[in-house]
Amino acid sequence: MTVSRRVEDMAADVEEILKKRCSEFEWFSLAFDESGDVSDTTQLCIFVRDVDNNFNVTEEMLSLAPMKGWIFIIRSWKY
């Protein structure tokens, strides 16, 4: 098994765990953060924060996506 395949398998496992946990949330919120990386590409990071029945709060990163090509859309959108 290659390292790449192992990383893909681990990512799939984490995704399944998050999907299961998300179905059990009592309350949740999404948080979005944007920043530049060393190659000057803007990255969008998406987090989910949840609260369970015992009021335990957790936060998990859902995705990190390059926003190349999105900047025009965001800047041209009227707030």
Side-chain angles (χ1 to χ4, degrees):
M1 180 178 285
T2 66
V3 172
S4 176
R5 179 68 182 153
R6 180 73 178 132
V7 169
E8 289 172 359
D9 289 347
M10 289 176 7
D13 290 344
V14 169
E15 183 177 356
E16 287 303 313
I17 291 167
L18 281 174
K19 284 180 181 178
K20 183 180 180 300
R21 284 191 53 215
C22 287
S23 69
E24 298 169 354
F25 290 168
E26 287 296 314
W27 302 277
F28 74 94
S29 66
L30 295 174
F32 301 89
D33 186 31
E34 164 269 322
S35 65
D37 65 10
V38 294
S39 67
D40 206 27
T41 299
T42 302
Q43 301 285 336
L44 177 65
C45 189
I46 305 170
F47 294 90
V48 62
R49 294 179 183 131
D50 70 276
V51 181
D52 66 14
N53 286 333
N54 297 318
F55 297 101
N56 297 314
V57 178
T58 58
E59 180 177 88
E60 298 288 342
M61 185 174 74
L62 293 180
S63 182
L64 182 64
M67 294 182 61
K68 199 169 199 164
W70 290 30
I71 299 304
F72 176 76
I73 296 168
I74 293 169
R75 288 185 178 156
S76 64
W77 184 38
K78 302 293 182 197
Y79 293 84

